[in-house]
Amino acid sequence: MRAMIQTGFGGPEVVRLEHLPEPAPGPGDVLVRVRACALNQLDSLQRRGPGLLPDFRLPHIAGMDVAGRVAAVGTAVDHLQPGDPVLLDPTLGCGSCDRCRDGQPGHCPSIRVVGGNIPGGFAEYVAVPA
């Protein structure tokens, strides 16, 4: 698949188009064929550096605001199927801490953000929890 890869901090010169293997969904994941991805302000801030989210690493695929269609589902996913349209909530909490149980995954101490500290939508495909 094609993806825009951030390799350093700075302006647009630190991002380049590369060919990477298509991600595979884990048992509880879906593989999304990206149809649209907005440039979020945090995408730009993290490109300029330093990375603002915990566990941010280079090289990185940004792109937090993703819409597309399910391309494949993991073995434990039964509520989505290939072809379904999806709009991703980029904020992924752990699901078990007090904040996640209170419906506030954005305040999870183990927060993961699609395109923020895990691969995002500036690619043809992105694998995310269903």
PDB file of all heavy atoms in Angstrom, residues 22-37:
ATOM      1  N   GLU A  22       0.490  -4.005   3.447  1.00  0.00           N
ATOM      2  CA  GLU A  22      -0.850  -3.703   3.942  1.00  0.00           C
ATOM      3  C   GLU A  22      -0.977  -4.257   5.359  1.00  0.00           C
ATOM      4  O   GLU A  22      -0.587  -5.400   5.608  1.00  0.00           O
ATOM      5  CB  GLU A  22      -1.865  -4.372   3.017  1.00  0.00           C
ATOM      6  CG  GLU A  22      -3.291  -4.050   3.293  1.00  0.00           C
ATOM      7  CD  GLU A  22      -4.184  -4.724   2.260  1.00  0.00           C
ATOM      8  OE1 GLU A  22      -4.027  -4.437   1.058  1.00  0.00           O
ATOM      9  OE2 GLU A  22      -5.024  -5.549   2.673  1.00  0.00           O
ATOM     10  N   PRO A  23      -1.499  -3.474   6.318  1.00  0.00           N
ATOM     11  CA  PRO A  23      -1.644  -4.012   7.672  1.00  0.00           C
ATOM     12  C   PRO A  23      -2.673  -5.132   7.705  1.00  0.00           C
ATOM     13  O   PRO A  23      -3.596  -5.168   6.889  1.00  0.00           O
ATOM     14  CB  PRO A  23      -2.115  -2.807   8.492  1.00  0.00           C
ATOM     15  CG  PRO A  23      -2.646  -1.826   7.519  1.00  0.00           C
ATOM     16  CD  PRO A  23      -1.990  -2.103   6.197  1.00  0.00           C
ATOM     17  N   ALA A  24      -2.513  -6.028   8.650  1.00  0.00           N
ATOM     18  CA  ALA A  24      -3.460  -7.133   8.823  1.00  0.00           C
ATOM     19  C   ALA A  24      -4.256  -6.889  10.099  1.00  0.00           C
ATOM     20  O   ALA A  24      -3.681  -6.530  11.127  1.00  0.00           O
ATOM     21  CB  ALA A  24      -2.711  -8.459   8.916  1.00  0.00           C
ATOM     22  N   PRO A  25      -5.560  -7.083  10.047  1.00  0.00           N
ATOM     23  CA  PRO A  25      -6.341  -6.885  11.276  1.00  0.00           C
ATOM     24  C   PRO A  25      -6.110  -8.020  12.263  1.00  0.00           C
ATOM     25  O   PRO A  25      -6.012  -9.176  11.874  1.00  0.00           O
ATOM     26  CB  PRO A  25      -7.788  -6.880  10.774  1.00  0.00           C
ATOM     27  CG  PRO A  25      -7.772  -7.688   9.518  1.00  0.00           C
ATOM     28  CD  PRO A  25      -6.402  -7.451   8.915  1.00  0.00           C
ATOM     29  N   GLY A  26      -6.000  -7.657  13.553  1.00  0.00           N
ATOM     30  CA  GLY A  26      -5.944  -8.667  14.601  1.00  0.00           C
ATOM     31  C   GLY A  26      -7.350  -9.217  14.827  1.00  0.00           C
ATOM     32  O   GLY A  26      -8.317  -8.771  14.186  1.00  0.00           O
ATOM     33  N   PRO A  27      -7.515 -10.159  15.747  1.00  0.00           N
ATOM     34  CA  PRO A  27      -8.822 -10.784  15.960  1.00  0.00           C
ATOM     35  C   PRO A  27      -9.966  -9.796  16.219  1.00  0.00           C
ATOM     36  O   PRO A  27     -11.068  -9.974  15.719  1.00  0.00           O
ATOM     37  CB  PRO A  27      -8.594 -11.691  17.172  1.00  0.00           C
ATOM     38  CG  PRO A  27      -7.131 -11.960  17.166  1.00  0.00           C
ATOM     39  CD  PRO A  27      -6.485 -10.725  16.605  1.00  0.00           C
ATOM     40  N   GLY A  28      -9.718  -8.734  16.976  1.00  0.00           N
ATOM     41  CA  GLY A  28     -10.767  -7.765  17.304  1.00  0.00           C
ATOM     42  C   GLY A  28     -10.721  -6.501  16.482  1.00  0.00           C
ATOM     43  O   GLY A  28     -11.340  -5.491  16.849  1.00  0.00           O
ATOM     44  N   ASP A  29     -10.000  -6.528  15.372  1.00  0.00           N
ATOM     45  CA  ASP A  29      -9.789  -5.330  14.547  1.00  0.00           C
ATOM     46  C   ASP A  29     -10.549  -5.386  13.237  1.00  0.00           C
ATOM     47  O   ASP A  29     -11.030  -6.444  12.822  1.00  0.00           O
ATOM     48  CB  ASP A  29      -8.297  -5.180  14.210  1.00  0.00           C
ATOM     49  CG  ASP A  29      -7.429  -4.951  15.417  1.00  0.00           C
ATOM     50  OD1 ASP A  29      -7.950  -4.529  16.464  1.00  0.00           O
ATOM     51  OD2 ASP A  29      -6.211  -5.206  15.310  1.00  0.00           O
ATOM     52  N   VAL A  30     -10.589  -4.228  12.592  1.00  0.00           N
ATOM     53  CA  VAL A  30     -11.052  -4.139  11.213  1.00  0.00           C
ATOM     54  C   VAL A  30      -9.953  -3.460  10.400  1.00  0.00           C
ATOM     55  O   VAL A  30      -9.196  -2.649  10.906  1.00  0.00           O
ATOM     56  CB  VAL A  30     -12.376  -3.348  11.056  1.00  0.00           C
ATOM     57  CG1 VAL A  30     -13.517  -4.078  11.722  1.00  0.00           C
ATOM     58  CG2 VAL A  30     -12.260  -1.941  11.581  1.00  0.00           C
ATOM     59  N   LEU A  31      -9.860  -3.839   9.156  1.00  0.00           N
ATOM     60  CA  LEU A  31      -8.982  -3.172   8.204  1.00  0.00           C
ATOM     61  C   LEU A  31      -9.873  -2.230   7.411  1.00  0.00           C
ATOM     62  O   LEU A  31     -10.870  -2.653   6.826  1.00  0.00           O
ATOM     63  CB  LEU A  31      -8.310  -4.177   7.274  1.00  0.00           C
ATOM     64  CG  LEU A  31      -7.354  -3.585   6.247  1.00  0.00           C
ATOM     65  CD1 LEU A  31      -6.142  -2.958   6.936  1.00  0.00           C
ATOM     66  CD2 LEU A  31      -6.920  -4.646   5.258  1.00  0.00           C
ATOM     67  N   VAL A  32      -9.525  -0.947   7.429  1.00  0.00           N
ATOM     68  CA  VAL A  32     -10.323   0.072   6.754  1.00  0.00           C
ATOM     69  C   VAL A  32      -9.590   0.551   5.514  1.00  0.00           C
ATOM     70  O   VAL A  32      -8.406   0.905   5.585  1.00  0.00           O
ATOM     71  CB  VAL A  32     -10.604   1.263   7.703  1.00  0.00           C
ATOM     72  CG1 VAL A  32     -11.318   2.387   6.978  1.00  0.00           C
ATOM     73  CG2 VAL A  32     -11.406   0.797   8.909  1.00  0.00           C
ATOM     74  N   ARG A  33     -10.278   0.544   4.390  1.00  0.00           N
ATOM     75  CA  ARG A  33      -9.781   1.157   3.154  1.00  0.00           C
ATOM     76  C   ARG A  33     -10.106   2.633   3.277  1.00  0.00           C
ATOM     77  O   ARG A  33     -11.273   3.016   3.337  1.00  0.00           O
ATOM     78  CB  ARG A  33     -10.473   0.536   1.938  1.00  0.00           C
ATOM     79  CG  ARG A  33     -10.217   1.298   0.637  1.00  0.00           C
ATOM     80  CD  ARG A  33      -8.797   1.018   0.140  1.00  0.00           C
ATOM     81  NE  ARG A  33      -8.645   1.356  -1.244  1.00  0.00           N
ATOM     82  CZ  ARG A  33      -7.943   2.416  -1.677  1.00  0.00           C
ATOM     83  NH1 ARG A  33      -7.356   3.225  -0.836  1.00  0.00           N
ATOM     84  NH2 ARG A  33      -7.819   2.635  -2.963  1.00  0.00           N
ATOM     85  N   VAL A  34      -9.090   3.463   3.396  1.00  0.00           N
ATOM     86  CA  VAL A  34      -9.272   4.899   3.620  1.00  0.00           C
ATOM     87  C   VAL A  34      -9.826   5.550   2.356  1.00  0.00           C
ATOM     88  O   VAL A  34      -9.262   5.394   1.274  1.00  0.00           O
ATOM     89  CB  VAL A  34      -7.942   5.560   4.045  1.00  0.00           C
ATOM     90  CG1 VAL A  34      -8.112   7.059   4.206  1.00  0.00           C
ATOM     91  CG2 VAL A  34      -7.408   4.924   5.326  1.00  0.00           C
ATOM     92  N   ARG A  35     -10.932   6.261   2.514  1.00  0.00           N
ATOM     93  CA  ARG A  35     -11.533   7.006   1.406  1.00  0.00           C
ATOM     94  C   ARG A  35     -11.271   8.498   1.567  1.00  0.00           C
ATOM     95  O   ARG A  35     -11.209   9.220   0.582  1.00  0.00           O
ATOM     96  CB  ARG A  35     -13.032   6.758   1.356  1.00  0.00           C
ATOM     97  CG  ARG A  35     -13.396   5.290   1.275  1.00  0.00           C
ATOM     98  CD  ARG A  35     -13.157   4.719  -0.051  1.00  0.00           C
ATOM     99  NE  ARG A  35     -14.372   4.886  -0.838  1.00  0.00           N
ATOM    100  CZ  ARG A  35     -14.519   4.449  -2.052  1.00  0.00           C
ATOM    101  NH1 ARG A  35     -13.547   3.808  -2.635  1.00  0.00           N
ATOM    102  NH2 ARG A  35     -15.626   4.626  -2.707  1.00  0.00           N
ATOM    103  N   ALA A  36     -11.156   8.957   2.823  1.00  0.00           N
ATOM    104  CA  ALA A  36     -10.888  10.369   3.100  1.00  0.00           C
ATOM    105  C   ALA A  36     -10.186  10.479   4.447  1.00  0.00           C
ATOM    106  O   ALA A  36     -10.460   9.703   5.361  1.00  0.00           O
ATOM    107  CB  ALA A  36     -12.184  11.170   3.126  1.00  0.00           C
ATOM    108  N   CYS A  37      -9.271  11.427   4.538  1.00  0.00           N
ATOM    109  CA  CYS A  37      -8.583  11.687   5.802  1.00  0.00           C
ATOM    110  C   CYS A  37      -8.258  13.174   5.848  1.00  0.00           C
ATOM    111  O   CYS A  37      -7.585  13.696   4.956  1.00  0.00           O
ATOM    112  CB  CYS A  37      -7.309  10.856   5.912  1.00  0.00           C
ATOM    113  SG  CYS A  37      -6.514  11.010   7.521  1.00  0.00           S
TER     114      CYS A  37
END
